[in-house]
């Protein structure tokens, strides 16, 4: 069962979106030259990814996140000084301490914001939206800036084609605050499956396996994933979570105008759309250009759809994010323009 973050007294919605992708384009040919037993055609066929972006050597997660934040603030028509809370979702923070949110705070000048990081891997942006909703409910005048940013290129094992071909770097952000009814987040659902935590992991670098010369030599700091297990989790967990989300809102699959999923793998997403019964909705993709950008995937796609003019006033949007833990976040959102 997905935990419900149900109806609240103050409608909370998205006031502005933003995203940032690094300049360096890494196409499938370049990846195939680095990864054994791989061709550009194999990558496209198996993932539908054609390129991804890698951060420059002098860029960290906070640099990407700060630029996405600036763009979201500009789109929302507010300043960094107006932000009351700054939430950063990342599993590739600048360093173990201080929080990456505090680094972004200083960079963008969000001097009045209370800041904290969350790590729900690729599901983190929707979790951040749920937290933002709760914070605005407590203080209807509050503005919450939710940033999701990851730099996975630094922890990829290029001898492992099951992961190296998928991931890139990027950041997305959204400003959330009170909106008039009937707009905003109608329902949010969160779930965790800790018994499947071995499916996505970075084994070393924490308190259980502190960094040593041996953990580095053993590749313990690389990103690891059981792709088949992740696929099974997504196909088993996401469709019923979406059904539950709509049921609690008193709506039906046919009411959904847009589907914004985590950009894990293009083949997987096509299967998910069919199993979830969302063929009639417009599913949004950026993975062809950017690959899987971790927790930034959902806000990057949302910003891409917003900037392109694809989202009309009153449209019903379903967000679905899933990632390590294993974790799942779903959100039903009535879009407001202007």
């Amino acid at each position: 069962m997905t935990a419900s973050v149900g109806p609240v007294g103050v409608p909370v919605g998205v006031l502005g979106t933003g995203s940032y992708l690094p300049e360096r384009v890494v196409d499938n040919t370049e990846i195939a030259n680095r990864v054994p037993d791989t061709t550009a055609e194999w990558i496209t066929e198996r993932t539908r990814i054609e390129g991804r972006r890698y951060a420059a050597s002098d860029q960290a997660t906070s640099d990407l996140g700060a630029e996405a934040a600036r763009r979201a603030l500009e789109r929302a028509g507010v300043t960094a000084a107006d932000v009351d809370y700054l939430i950063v979702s990342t599993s590739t923070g600048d360093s173990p301490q201080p929080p990456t949110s505090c680094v972004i705070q200083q960079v963008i000048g969000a001097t009045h914001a209370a800041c904290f990081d969350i790590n729900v891997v690729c599901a983190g942006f929707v979790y951040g939206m749920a937290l933002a909703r709760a914070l605005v409910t407590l203080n209807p005048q509050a503005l919450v800036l939710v940033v999701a940013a990851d730099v996975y290129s630094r922890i990829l094992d290029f001898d492992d084609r099951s992961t190296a071909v998928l991931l890139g770097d990027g950041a997305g952000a959204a400003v959330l605050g009170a909106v008039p009814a009937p707009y905003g987040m109608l329902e949010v659902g969160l779930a965790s499956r800790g018994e499947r935590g071995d499916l996505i992991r970075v084994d070393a670098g924490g308190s259980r396996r502190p960094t040593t010369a041996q953990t580095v030599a053993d590749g313990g700091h690389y990103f690891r994933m059981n792709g088949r297990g992740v696929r099974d989790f997504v196909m088993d967990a996401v469709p019923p979570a979406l059904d539950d989300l709509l049921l609690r809102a008193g709506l039906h699959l046919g009411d959904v105008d847009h589907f914004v999923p985590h950009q894990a793998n293009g083949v997987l997403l096509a299967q998910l759309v069919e199993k979830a019964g969302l063929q009639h909705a417009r599913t949004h993709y950026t993975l062809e250009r950017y690959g899987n950008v971790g927790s930034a995937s959902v806000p990057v796609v949302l910003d891409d759809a917003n900037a392109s003019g694809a989202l009309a006033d009153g449209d019903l949007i379903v967000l679905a994010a899933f990632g390590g833990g294993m974790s799942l976040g779903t959100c039903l959102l009535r879009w407001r323009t202007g």
Side-chain angles (χ1 to χ4, degrees), residues 37-38 45 50 54 63 72 99-100 102 156 162 172 184-186 195 211 217-218 250 256 265 280 311 314:
D37 304 319
T38 304
E45 179 183 349
E50 298 178 359
Y54 282 0
D63 297 306
T100 299
C102 291
L156 292 179
S162 68
M185 285 182 271
L186 307 182
E195 72 276 9
T211 302
D218 291 343
V256 177
N265 175 304
H280 66 281
L311 308 179

Side-chain angles (χ1 to χ4, degrees), residues 271-288:
Q271 295 169 346
L272 176 60
V273 167
E274 182 174 356
K275 185 166 184 181
L278 286 170
Q279 298 94 327
H280 66 281
R282 178 174 176 179
T283 299
H284 294 268
Y285 299 94
T286 58
L287 62 85
E288 299 98 330

Side-chain angles (χ1 to χ4, degrees), residues 109-123:
T111 53
H112 302 296
C115 307
F116 59 95
D117 292 3
I118 58 172
N119 179 2
V120 202
V121 196
C122 300

Side-chain angles (χ1 to χ4, degrees), residues 250-298:
L251 296 168
H252 304 282
L253 285 170
D255 297 317
V256 177
D257 298 298
H258 303 274
F259 183 41
V260 177
H262 168 53
Q263 305 288 288
N265 175 304
V267 174
L268 170 62
L269 291 184
Q271 295 169 346
L272 176 60
V273 167
E274 182 174 356
K275 185 166 184 181
L278 286 170
Q279 298 94 327
H280 66 281
R282 178 174 176 179
T283 299
H284 294 268
Y285 299 94
T286 58
L287 62 85
E288 299 98 330
R289 291 169 282 161
Y290 306 138
N292 177 346
V293 287
S295 65
S297 283
V298 167

Side-chain angles (χ1 to χ4, degrees), residues 129-207:
M129 292 181 70
L131 289 168
R133 190 187 194 204
L135 291 166
V136 176
T137 299
L138 292 171
N139 177 8
Q141 303 304 313
L143 291 178
V144 185
L145 175 58
V146 181
V147 180
D150 274 309
V151 178
Y152 271 100
S153 63
R154 305 276 162 79
I155 58 171
L156 292 179
D157 179 358
F158 287 93
D159 288 328
D160 178 11
R161 72 174 183 173
S162 68
T163 57
V165 305
L166 294 172
L167 291 144
D169 306 334
V175 179
L176 288 93
V179 294
Y183 299 105
M185 285 182 271
L186 307 182
E187 288 287 344
V188 180
L190 308 176
S192 300
R193 301 287 184 266
E195 72 276 9
R196 309 303 304 277
D198 61 325
L199 295 179
I200 296 175
R201 66 193 196 279
V202 176
D203 292 327
S207 61

